[in-house]
Amino acid sequence: MTSKTISDVTRVGRAGWLSGLALAAGLTLSSAAAWSAELEKVTFRTNWFPQAEHGGWYHADSQGTYEDFGLDVDMEPGGPQVNNIQLLLGGRADFVMLHSSGQILTALEEGLPLVALAAFYQKDPQIIMSHPGVGNDSLEDLKGKPILLSQDAHQSFWPWLKQKYGYTDDQVRPYTFQMGPFIADPEVIQQAYVTSETFVVKEAGIDPNVFLLSDHGWRSYSTMIVTTRETLEERPEVARKFVEATIEGWYQYLQDPQATNEYINELNENQTPEQLAHSLREMDERGIVLSGDALTDGIGIMTDERWQAIHEQLVGLGLVDDSVDPTQGYTTEFVGTEAIHDIMARYPDVSGVEAD
């Protein structure tokens, strides 16, 4: 994996951008530096390496959207060894990206003061993937058959699959995040992301069965901006700006992803133009970002009703205690607002919403 840091790529570009803007406005370089210093500093950590799945953040970071909202964002990627909850609670990040709403409810049960501010994926991109034409063409067909799963699956969607489809733990085989076994053996069944591993197997000439769990009743929100309750209380305006800027970044990215995809490729050479195009296409066709409530109330939307349904599902699976109050783990203060509707109206080709 070759992955440059964001600061490596942007340090020179940002300085040149500020200098050029200053000269165009008839300012000195020192006054440009003073103007830059007035931006509110924010630290943000994603949960994986740079990829199209995080395109809105990378667009807002590289194309000046955060600066437009008065923010100087220090954004760094995550990875398999990065624990964003620890970074957040340790004061090493103001905001982090977490994958699932279940992480929030589990944190509440443990007494951790996490608060979700926005959910950018209305559908969790988690899938079960199998080969076609070998008797594994529905989730019902997979009962009793070996399935490759990660450890994290046992604390999220696997208990739900067991409850709904009668799967059992003796079906589980370890998933090593290598695609060779699936490509080599048509009997292999595994977990995957609809935006990621499917590209690898299609490049190998396989058109897999894709079972998007959110289309079968898995309720989780995914890919959320999360902060601590202390940060929310002490810096509410910064939280609002960061959420709104990221939402606008997503609309901008979906409207024209070319420049940002080139930037992501600079940061992570494994994200080829073909992989980036595949990820975007899957997000679009599957309604990962834009579906359900996001069609009417904007990207990032969360609702009390959906959080209650998520809570009930996880309680029913024994993953969260019934005593957990889900309303303590999120706020809808910054999503679905008039400001978000104004953003939607600026990008009608993406949002479908026209300005009044």
Side-chain angles (χ1 to χ4, degrees):
M1 172 73 70
T2 301
S3 183
K4 306 178 184 70
T5 66
I6 292 173
S7 57
D8 289 339
V9 175
T10 60
R11 188 179 295 113
V12 174
R14 287 269 175 81
W17 175 79
L18 286 170
S19 299
L21 190 59
L23 293 173
L27 303 173
T28 65
L29 293 182
S30 60
S31 62
W35 173 70
S36 176
E38 294 176 0
L39 298 175
E40 189 84 31
K41 293 187 180 297
V42 171
T43 55
F44 174 66
R45 300 295 178 256
T46 75
N47 63 357
W48 200 248
F49 303 111
Q51 54 186 339
E53 290 90 327
H54 301 160
W57 282 277
Y58 285 105
H59 185 100
D61 185 57
S62 65
Q63 305 301 313
T65 309
Y66 285 133
E67 287 90 345
D68 291 343
F69 279 77
L71 301 177
D72 176 10
V73 177
D74 170 18
M75 190 170 97
E76 294 292 341
Q81 306 304 320
V82 177
N83 187 318
N84 273 347
I85 292 178
Q86 288 182 358
L87 291 177
L88 185 65
L89 295 177
R92 295 174 60 190
D94 299 308
F95 305 96
V96 299
M97 182 189 299
L98 291 185
H99 168 67
S100 74
S101 40
Q103 290 176 283
I104 298 294
L105 298 182
T106 299
L108 287 180
E109 188 170 4
E110 295 173 356
L112 304 179
L114 270 56
V115 184
L117 306 181
F120 287 82
Y121 285 7
Q122 295 300 299
K123 293 184 178 183
D124 189 332
Q126 189 70 60
I127 64 170
I128 298 296
M129 183 170 66
S130 67
H131 288 256
V134 294
N136 297 328
D137 298 320
S138 71
L139 287 172
E140 289 80 3
D141 291 337
L142 308 186
K143 183 177 179 179
K145 299 177 180 178
I147 302 177
L148 307 186
L149 296 176
S150 69
Q151 283 297 319
D152 289 344
H154 294 267
Q155 301 303 316
S156 56
F157 63 87
W158 179 243
W160 169 73
L161 285 171
K162 290 197 296 181
Q163 183 185 80
K164 183 167 184 177
Y165 295 102
Y167 298 172
T168 56
D169 286 334
D170 59 10
Q171 295 180 238
V172 176
R173 305 292 185 272
Y175 178 41
T176 62
F177 297 91
Q178 302 297 318
M179 298 310 301
F182 186 91
I183 292 171
D185 185 352
E187 297 297 329
V188 169
I189 306 162
Q190 68 165 71
Q191 73 173 69
Y193 263 21
V194 70
T195 52
S196 182
E197 288 97 332
T198 52
F199 173 75
V200 178
V201 300
K202 287 186 177 183
E203 287 288 286
I206 302 167
D207 189 14
N209 292 322
V210 171
F211 308 114
L212 185 64
L213 300 187
S214 57
D215 284 344
H216 293 267
W218 180 238
R219 298 288 292 165
S220 181
Y221 282 128
S222 182
T223 313
M224 299 173 295
I225 290 176
V226 178
T227 192
T228 62
R229 186 154 296 282
E230 180 180 12
T231 296
L232 179 61
E233 292 171 353
E234 294 182 353
R235 304 177 76 190
E237 185 66 8
V238 171
R240 180 190 65 77
K241 289 179 179 179
F242 187 63
V243 170
E244 290 180 4
T246 303
I247 290 172
E248 180 140 19
W250 265 105
Y251 280 109
Q252 293 169 335
Y253 176 64
L254 294 175
Q255 179 170 273
D256 185 4
Q258 181 176 345
T260 302
N261 280 350
E262 291 172 359
Y263 175 60
I264 292 172
N265 177 250
E266 287 183 57
L267 294 172
N268 183 0
E269 294 171 1
N270 289 330
Q271 288 291 306
T272 64
E274 294 78 15
Q275 170 71 76
L276 291 161
H278 171 84
S279 298
L280 266 174
R281 184 169 56 251
E282 288 292 338
M283 284 192 286
D284 177 43
E285 293 179 356
R286 307 278 181 178
I288 300 298
V289 175
L290 281 169
S291 63
D293 296 318
L295 297 177
T296 54
D297 287 316
I299 291 172
I301 187 67
M302 303 184 299
T303 68
D304 295 325
E305 293 78 12
R306 175 80 174 266
W307 270 103
Q308 185 60 40
I310 291 167
H311 176 255
E312 291 174 359
Q313 186 171 66
L314 295 183
V315 168
L317 296 170
L319 295 177
V320 173
D321 191 81
D322 188 39
S323 63
V324 172
D325 179 2
T327 65
Q328 297 302 302
Y330 70 93
T331 178
T332 60
E333 180 180 357
F334 309 120
V335 294
T337 63
E338 182 177 346
I340 301 305
H341 283 269
D342 288 343
I343 291 172
M344 294 170 69
R346 291 199 284 272
Y347 308 96
D349 291 345
V350 179
S351 68
V353 174
E354 299 286 347
D356 292 335

